[in-house]
Amino acid sequence: MHVPLTTADFCYRARTVHAERLGAIDEAGFSGELGRLTYGELMLRCDGMVRALDRMGIAPGDRIAIISPNATKLLIALYATTGTGRILVPINFRLTAEEAQYIVEDSGASLLLVDPELDERLASVTGPRRIVLDGEADAELFAPADDALEWAPVAEEAPATINYTSGTTAAPKGVILTHRSHWLNATAVGWGFGLAEGDRYLHTLPIFHVNGWGLPLACAALGVPQIIQREVRGPEILRRVDDEAITLLCGAAPVAATIEQAAQALRAAGRPVPGDGTTRMVSGGAPTPAAVIEQFEHATGWEMIHAYGLTETGPVLTANRVLPSEGLSPRDRAERLAAAGAPLLGVRLAVDEEGEVLARTAKAMDGYWNKLDVSEAAIRDGWFITGDGGTFEDGVLRITDRKKDVIVTGGENVSSLQVEAVLYQHPDIVDAAIIGVPHERWGETPKALVVLRHGATFDEQAIIAHCKQHLAGFKCPTSVEQRDDLPRTATGKVQKFVLRQPYWP
């Protein structure tokens, strides 16, 4: 008997096994919020949305675009849309109106849903039908059904979502992820992150970003309460961890940084840090240097887990967890955790002769939406070409750099990640990026762009001297600039092409 693997499986288990458990807690105080819902109540609202979509004539295979910060309605849209064969297109709410409009049009969305706090800024973004999620215009769409609805079967190879890449180098591409991809990723991630029925999950990771890495589905299957965080602010995150007994959250390096700073402030005031000894955080989106991991774990008392992947690979490929019971020193723990980690179940990894990481997994994308030629170019002999340089030894993957970010100075290759890891060891630096800039003799030379801790004094020569203590001379920055912040994508990746532009006419 062949039964397809679909996102509806996670919803069915949530409503059947965990109906009485707390399902979601919306952040209070914004227009259209839904308060606290059990999984049973959450799934009845999914049924209500399915019936409303039927009445609107939006059929399986149609695309529904949604632009929203984290919200319970975004969870409902993910469950109800994909579970019944429609295709969800989650859009980065930080994009400009022009960028968002491109995605709506490129995906051919039949319906556009917009968070009320974004309505004015994105007023020019339109679709065949546009609904604001303010609790009034969308009342019919999110009203709970009177009774449970039997969802029609969906093929596992059918598209479930189209997730647009962050566009670090060019226009975003729509990555088609099937039901099979979602099912396998959510299962593998649940195991890899140690998700269990006793956990309580805080949505600090944007749900629009590759569907919250699969945690919304994994949590539903296990009856794990999902607490919504709309905006990333360290003190507020710590408050929610305390109030809701949070045991797990995910995010990129900037999220970890704001939590660390808030935790340091609490300790300086002689107050305990919520979650000390009980909370774990998964860091992903961009490699996290060992120094940052060590500082984070020391300040918070939390356990950090490292993950690596790409939108095209479903997305998570590896997880790196070093259990406290292993008894390593904080520095040795951090060095181990800085690696991308071991492949998740169903993932195979390799490194080609040029040092580029290749991945093979059953949960990888079905291709790029409307871009068959680009889809074929991304696959070589059944392996996805990641664009990352790395090593894979003894079952552990280490990322050395994005191929396009390697600096070639005087014929020598310099890994920007290696130099950045040294910069993060400097006590005054909280964020850093290394780029190549033109040089008459060497072709290009490393340049450091740094963000300092509050109250620190910028000293270019001292930063260069710090690097020379740890690196060969040709790898060290020949100049350093102070910045207030660094441009990043929603996934936490520094947009180095933006940083390079002023230096390369």
Side-chain angles (χ1 to χ4, degrees):
M1 180 169 62
H2 174 76
V3 178
L5 309 175
T6 74
T7 61
D9 292 340
F10 300 86
C11 299
Y12 176 79
R13 191 167 198 274
R15 79 159 79 236
T16 304
V17 182
H18 306 301
E20 301 304 317
R21 285 193 184 180
L22 179 63
I25 304 176
D26 230 345
E27 189 163 321
F30 72 94
S31 177
E33 57 104 349
L34 296 178
R36 302 171 76 95
L37 299 174
T38 65
Y39 269 110
E41 292 167 336
L42 190 65
M43 292 306 148
L44 283 176
R45 287 186 182 264
C46 291
D47 291 329
M49 184 175 190
V50 170
R51 286 180 169 145
L53 293 174
D54 287 341
R55 290 192 294 270
M56 293 167 64
I58 297 176
D62 287 348
R63 275 77 66 202
I64 299 173
I66 183 167
I67 313 177
S68 174
N70 287 348
T72 298
K73 288 179 180 177
L74 183 48
L75 284 179
I76 293 170
L78 174 65
Y79 297 145
T81 298
T82 65
T84 55
R86 284 94 172 176
I87 303 170
L88 191 69
V89 184
I91 299 178
N92 181 349
F93 64 87
R94 300 185 182 98
L95 295 181
T96 65
E98 181 180 357
E99 291 168 325
Q101 185 67 52
Y102 169 83
I103 293 174
V104 173
E105 294 177 359
D106 186 70
S107 66
S110 301
L111 174 64
L112 171 62
L113 307 177
V114 181
D115 185 87
E117 293 182 354
L118 304 172
D119 184 31
E120 183 177 352
R121 181 170 70 81
L122 301 178
S124 63
V125 182
T126 60
R129 185 163 183 172
R130 185 181 192 274
I131 298 177
V132 178
L133 307 176
D134 59 2
E136 297 180 5
D138 64 336
E140 178 186 1
L141 198 59
F142 289 95
D146 294 329
D147 49 22
L149 178 67
E150 184 67 28
W151 294 355
V154 179
E156 68 177 34
E157 64 272 15
T161 60
I162 303 175
N163 298 88
Y164 279 76
T165 60
S166 52
T168 54
T169 58
K173 300 183 289 291
V175 175
I176 304 170
L177 296 178
T178 65
H179 283 264
R180 177 180 171 86
S181 172
H182 280 264
W183 205 102
L184 295 173
N185 179 73
T187 304
V189 161
W191 280 338
F193 297 168
L195 191 68
E197 291 192 4
D199 275 318
R200 294 173 68 88
Y201 181 67
L202 181 65
H203 278 285
T204 45
L205 175 71
I207 298 172
F208 74 74
H209 176 49
V210 206
N211 319 298
W213 296 351
L215 269 302
L217 294 176
C219 287
L222 293 173
V224 171
Q226 302 180 63
I227 292 84
I228 301 298
Q229 183 85 30
R230 285 174 66 88
E231 185 178 349
V232 172
R233 300 187 308 277
E236 179 64 12
I237 290 172
L238 292 183
R239 185 188 70 79
R240 301 296 291 282
V241 169
D242 193 24
D243 290 349
E244 301 295 345
I246 300 300
T247 60
L248 178 66
L249 64 159
C250 302
V255 181
T258 188
I259 295 171
E260 178 203 334
Q261 292 168 19
Q264 287 178 339
L266 285 180
R267 292 197 186 279
R271 297 167 58 191
V273 176
D276 188 347
T278 59
T279 300
R280 60 198 190 278
M281 177 174 180
V282 183
S283 174
T288 305
V292 173
I293 295 172
E294 184 177 0
Q295 292 164 7
F296 176 86
E297 290 197 331
H298 176 73
T300 60
W302 298 1
E303 175 195 348
M304 181 169 277
I305 302 170
H306 208 176
Y308 163 76
L310 302 93
T311 305
E312 291 90 338
T313 57
V316 186
L317 290 172
T318 69
N320 189 358
R321 189 177 187 191
V322 180
L323 295 175
S325 59
E326 295 187 38
L328 297 178
S329 69
R331 176 154 297 182
D332 288 343
R333 270 184 58 79
E335 289 293 339
R336 283 264 302 275
L337 285 168
L344 293 180
L345 179 67
V347 173
R348 293 188 62 191
L349 298 173
V351 176
D352 67 14
E353 61 279 1
E354 296 183 358
E356 186 166 10
V357 177
L358 309 177
R360 175 180 287 173
T361 173
K363 62 190 184 67
M365 69 172 183
D366 197 43
Y368 294 112
W369 183 257
N370 291 332
K371 290 181 172 61
L372 180 61
D373 54 337
V374 181
S375 303
E376 293 174 345
I379 307 293
R380 182 198 307 151
D381 299 326
W383 292 83
F384 178 77
I385 306 167
T386 66
D388 288 319
T391 62
F392 185 54
E393 299 173 351
D394 300 323
V396 176
L397 177 68
R398 289 185 177 273
I399 301 299
T400 54
D401 212 345
R402 291 290 292 173
K403 283 184 66 176
K404 62 180 178 292
D405 292 335
V406 171
I407 300 165
V408 183
T409 179
E412 298 283 355
N413 286 356
V414 177
S415 165
S416 61
L417 291 182
Q418 182 185 22
V419 185
E420 288 162 6
V422 170
L423 288 170
Y424 277 111
Q425 294 173 17
H426 192 288
D428 291 339
I429 293 175
V430 295
D431 204 2
I434 288 288
I435 60 172
V437 297
H439 191 278
E440 289 184 2
R441 182 177 180 184
W442 306 117
E444 62 178 337
T445 185
K447 182 181 187 66
L449 305 170
V450 301
V451 179
L452 299 186
R453 292 187 184 278
H454 179 70
T457 301
F458 176 67
D459 187 333
E460 180 181 26
Q461 293 308 311
I463 293 173
I464 294 174
H466 165 79
C467 292
K468 289 182 176 180
Q469 290 178 357
H470 303 278
L471 297 167
F474 73 90
K475 297 181 180 181
C476 295
T478 54
S479 62
V480 184
E481 283 186 18
Q482 182 181 1
R483 297 290 178 89
D484 293 333
D485 53 50
L486 299 178
R488 291 180 179 270
T489 68
T491 65
K493 297 175 184 175
V494 175
Q495 294 177 305
K496 292 188 177 180
F497 76 100
V498 173
L499 297 174
R500 285 190 287 258
Q501 282 174 350
Y503 304 98
W504 296 90

